[in-house]
Amino acid sequence: MLKGDWDPQRYCQFRSERAQPFHDLLHRIPPLRVQQAADLGCGTGDLTRLLLDCWPEARIVGVDSSADMLRVANQLQGAGAANTDRLRFERADIASWRAPEPLDCLVANASLHWVPEHARLLRHLVGQLAPGGVLAVQMPRNRDQPIYRAATSLLAESPWCQRIAAEALTVTVESPAFYAHTLAGLGLQPAVWETIYQHALPSAAAIVEWLAGTTLRPVLACLDANEQAAFLAALTTRANALYPAGPAGVLFPFRRLFFVASCPDSG
Ligand SMILES: C[S@@+](CC[C@H](N)C(=O)[O-])C[C@H]1O[C@@H](n2cnc3c(N)ncnc32)[C@H](O)[C@@H]1O
């Protein structure tokens, strides 16, 4: 796993923009009787909690590898919200976690791109579904945005480039066709689509702050506080030139890939 744990406060700054794809994913899950479900890479668990209302009979587990994200999830859980006995959180790596019972629905929102080897990963996840079970996934697929090229070239020019692992800015997201063919090859019926959100942010600096809470974590983890500030300031200068403000604010186009794939029913 890459260096740099998650900072729940920093991550949650763009909560409504980050929650929208989760809602859009849920809308495409077919009507299901769900008794066992999991949310892989559940983060702070506030979105996981919404699944309780979708599936009133379900027992749901949120799985995440970050102690800091799970601390927030467990605090919310301890705050006495309804149905808490149906929801629990577990610290584990998605790549190796196994559900104790077959799952009727497995959700992974904005998490699988942090896990490598998607052919192997999909086989692993599909193997945990019950007959008729559904795998519902969303991942960012927006590395064509100029801010990523700016971050890569800034790092390459920086005095710290030797210290930063080559894979620090790398995530795993394959093409839509890869997911369609791989899931069909595993015997599922997949629907695969992409959506480009036009996030209206208050400034180009907000784009950099957005990335600091996710993609740039492994890079920032290699730098001390002064170096982090210098890197983020230089990236903000480039972002200002790349993302001009207009009447709607600064638009950050954000492409996301989705799939919902159903297993055949045994009957
Ligand atoms: C971008 S956040 C998404 C959180 C939540 N699903 C949401 O939509 O708000 C990604 C989450 O995936 C978790 N994650 C990344 N790699 C993981 C792995 N290999 N195993 C378990 N969790 C992982 C991170 O700790 C983080 O909480």
Side-chain angles (χ1 to χ4, degrees):
M1 227 175 297
L2 292 170
K3 263 173 88 174
D5 202 358
W6 292 75
D7 174 343
Q9 215 178 348
R10 195 167 217 179
Y11 178 75
C12 289
Q13 281 180 96
F14 302 98
R15 204 60 193 118
S16 68
E17 288 85 354
R18 288 187 157 133
Q20 187 61 53
F22 184 84
H23 295 293
D24 295 345
L25 179 65
L26 292 192
H27 276 128
R28 292 286 294 265
I29 297 177
L32 278 179
R33 180 165 183 213
V34 177
Q35 291 178 308
Q36 300 291 338
D39 181 10
L40 299 185
C42 62
T44 53
D46 46 329
L47 298 179
T48 317
R49 189 166 286 281
L50 302 178
L51 301 177
L52 290 168
D53 292 332
C54 296
W55 303 311
E57 297 173 39
R59 300 193 80 78
I60 297 166
V61 57
V63 175
D64 205 285
S65 55
S66 161
D68 289 335
M69 293 296 237
L70 287 179
R71 191 168 308 119
V72 176
N74 282 314
Q75 274 163 7
L76 267 177
Q77 179 77 335
N83 298 321
T84 52
D85 59 323
R86 293 201 289 118
L87 175 61
R88 69 183 178 87
F89 294 99
E90 188 177 327
R91 188 169 182 203
D93 189 331
I94 293 169
S96 52
W97 179 79
R98 282 191 183 282
E101 294 183 57
L103 296 166
D104 304 301
C105 194
L106 206 168
V107 177
N109 187 57
S111 55
L112 297 191
H113 56 300
W114 295 107
V115 185
E117 295 180 63
H118 280 194
R120 191 208 73 82
L121 177 65
L122 291 181
R123 217 171 29 252
H124 172 65
L125 299 181
V126 168
Q128 302 186 57
L129 292 174
V134 168
L135 176 61
V137 171
Q138 181 276 120
M139 288 174 280
R141 189 163 178 272
N142 68 336
R143 289 305 173 101
D144 52 353
Q145 273 301 304
I147 191 70
Y148 295 101
R149 277 195 297 281
T152 306
S153 65
L154 260 181
L155 284 174
E157 295 157 15
S158 77
W160 331 293
C161 67
Q162 302 298 335
R163 240 189 297 151
I164 295 168
E167 75 275 20
L169 275 173
T170 306
V171 289
T172 304
V173 188
E174 306 288 352
S175 67
F178 169 90
Y179 294 104
H181 291 310
T182 305
L183 291 162
L186 290 168
L188 279 74
Q189 283 191 327
V192 183
W193 74 99
E194 291 189 318
T195 299
I196 301 177
Y197 297 85
Q198 298 288 334
H199 295 306
L201 301 181
S203 63
I207 296 177
V208 175
E209 186 54 25
W210 177 305
L211 297 187
T214 52
T215 317
L216 296 177
R217 288 175 311 102
V219 169
L220 297 176
C222 301
L223 306 178
D224 68 28
N226 290 334
E227 293 165 342
Q228 288 185 13
F231 172 62
L232 294 177
L235 189 56
T236 301
T237 302
R238 297 215 180 169
N240 279 325
L242 292 167
Y243 297 91
V250 170
L251 292 181
F252 184 27
F254 207 115
R255 182 155 48 113
R256 293 182 181 270
L257 183 149
F258 297 77
F259 56 80
V260 171
S262 306
C263 279
D265 255 320
S266 59

